[in-house]
Amino acid sequence: MKNNIKLVAFDLDGTLLTDDKQITEATWEALKELAKREVLLVPCTGRPLSGIPEELVQFPGVRYLISANGARVVDVKEKKVLREELIPVPLAERVLKIFYKYDCLRELYYDGEGVVGQAGYDRVAQYHRSPAVVQYFLGSRQPVPDLWDKFYQENRPVDKVQGVFREISEKARAYEELTQIPEIAITTSLVNNLEINLKDVTKGSVLCEFAESLGIGSDEIMAFGDGDNDLEMIAMVGTGVAMENGIPELREKADYVTVTNNEDGVAKVLVQQLLMEG
């Protein structure tokens, strides 16, 4: 197999999934063939665990999942959490207070599940304009009467804090405030969102460290992505692949640029670079 790839990691939104949040037949066929060849397949997403499509969770070729940009790594076969990189309560509180200054949809991730206030849940279409994204959100988030009440009731570290903004100008102002907190990592996967993790927690760092624990070197990893939260992952692995629909910075860092997520971009590279090698 080309480059002796032992692990293939892939972002979901804008990468493995179409804009309608589907996995195409061509993509499934490529994943099935890689699984037969005992290549590890690792979804590596900013989504909470509850937001990862159930068909991927149940797919025999997928044993490990990396969610919330690396905050949580789980073994789905053993139903075991292997790694957590959580934001302490005081730090999460500082972030949440900044998000509450602006008109945004605020979320907390606990134990792999996204939690949102009921008012925001009811108005999700004002923040996520795509019908497919709205449906994904409604099906994967737990609404609570009040997010602050939930936060204080839980009184424990969180996987990730997210804000989805109605106005890009407000996102920019919130970003400037958040940059004054040195203990956090700030990234984005949408034009209008900000995702907050613990400092130094990225898809790339967690993926490579986790792979090393399995005896797999970074040069034996192929990874696919499209967004800002995929930058480190694409740069750190042996073979980084950017989607044509990805941000310019990612396309510049990548070893390959494939066609878009709506054109079987992941499947095409897997077939051409791995499966055709025999």
Side-chain angles (χ1 to χ4, degrees), residues 212-270:
E212 186 177 359
S213 74
L214 300 175
I216 298 172
S218 59
D219 60 319
E220 298 172 307
I221 302 173
M222 176 181 280
F224 294 81
D226 74 305
D228 183 77
N229 63 341
D230 299 312
L231 282 167
E232 290 85 357
M233 178 170 72
I234 295 304
M236 292 176 72
V237 300
T239 307
V241 185
M243 311 304 291
E244 192 176 88
N245 51 284
I247 62 173
E249 300 93 324
L250 192 78
R251 298 199 304 269
E252 289 169 10
K253 283 181 181 285
D255 299 293
Y256 298 98
V257 177
T258 186
V259 295
T260 72
N261 62 311
N262 292 320
E263 301 173 284
D264 294 321
V266 171
K268 285 182 173 155
V269 170
L270 293 178

Side-chain angles (χ1 to χ4, degrees), residues 176-188:
E176 286 304 313
E177 288 197 62
L178 290 164
T179 59
Q180 304 307 305
I181 306 176
E183 302 92 347
I184 62 173
I186 310 168
T187 189
T188 181

